[in-house]
């Protein structure tokens, strides 16, 4: 009887850990949001849907960027390799390519409020 209870406890623990692992894997990553904040993008941009407010009164809201832009465009635009409304981005992204991918990936999840 004791062995059956130990075995049953082990099975329940394994199933619980398995479910916990899937719960963590399904959560969206906030790495891109961290890159946004760390790169001080909020100096010029607001993301109201993510609770990020700029101190600039005329800051552009990026809450719907994922509906309006593509990954390729954002990658080029942030590196000043393409223009938006005949204008370059005000500053070139200075982080690593990996951080740029995280940032763009996060921006693409922004579909509006």
């Amino acid at each position: 009887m004791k062995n059956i209870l130990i075995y049953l406890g082990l099975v329940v623990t394994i199933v619980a850990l398995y479910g916990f692992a899937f719960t963590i894997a399904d959560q969206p990553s906030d790495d891109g949001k961290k890159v946004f904040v760390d790169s001080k993008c909020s100096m010029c941009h607001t993301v109201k849907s993510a609770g990020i407010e700029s101190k600039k009164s005329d800051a552009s809201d990026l809450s719907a960027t994922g509906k309006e832009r593509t990954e390729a465009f954002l990658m080029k635009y942030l590196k000043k390799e393409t223009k938006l409304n005949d204008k370059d981005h005000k500053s070139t992204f200075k982080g690593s390519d990996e951080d740029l991918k995280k940032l763009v990936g996060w921006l693409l999840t922004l579909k509006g409020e």
Side-chain angles (χ1 to χ4, degrees):
M1 182 72 173
K2 184 177 178 182
N3 288 339
I4 292 174
L5 290 177
I6 291 173
Y7 179 74
L8 186 60
L10 183 62
V11 169
V12 169
T13 302
I14 290 171
V15 169
L17 290 174
Y18 187 72
F20 181 70
F22 272 102
T23 303
I24 290 174
D26 288 342
Q27 292 178 350
S29 173
D30 283 340
D31 290 346
K33 183 177 179 180
K34 181 175 177 357
V35 172
F36 185 90
V37 172
D38 290 349
S39 298
K40 298 187 180 5
C41 299
S42 61
M43 296 294 288
C44 299
H45 300 288
T46 289
V47 185
K48 290 180 183 174
S49 63
I52 300 172
E53 293 286 334
S54 175
K55 292 180 182 175
K56 268 180 87 173
S57 61
D58 63 341
S60 55
D61 186 11
L62 303 179
S63 293
T65 302
K67 281 200 281 190
E68 301 166 353
R69 306 286 174 228
T70 65
E71 178 180 9
F73 173 81
L74 290 173
M75 296 286 278
K76 289 181 179 180
Y77 183 62
L78 293 173
K79 289 181 177 181
K80 289 191 171 186
E81 295 174 356
T82 193
K83 297 177 186 276
L84 175 64
N85 300 327
D86 292 326
K87 294 180 183 176
D88 284 324
H89 191 261
K90 294 203 182 212
S91 63
T92 304
F93 183 78
K94 294 174 181 65
S96 67
D97 286 342
E98 183 179 328
D99 283 346
L100 180 59
K101 286 180 184 179
K102 289 177 186 177
L103 174 61
V104 169
W106 178 71
L107 290 171
L108 291 172
T109 66
L110 304 175
K111 307 287 185 185
E113 294 187 53

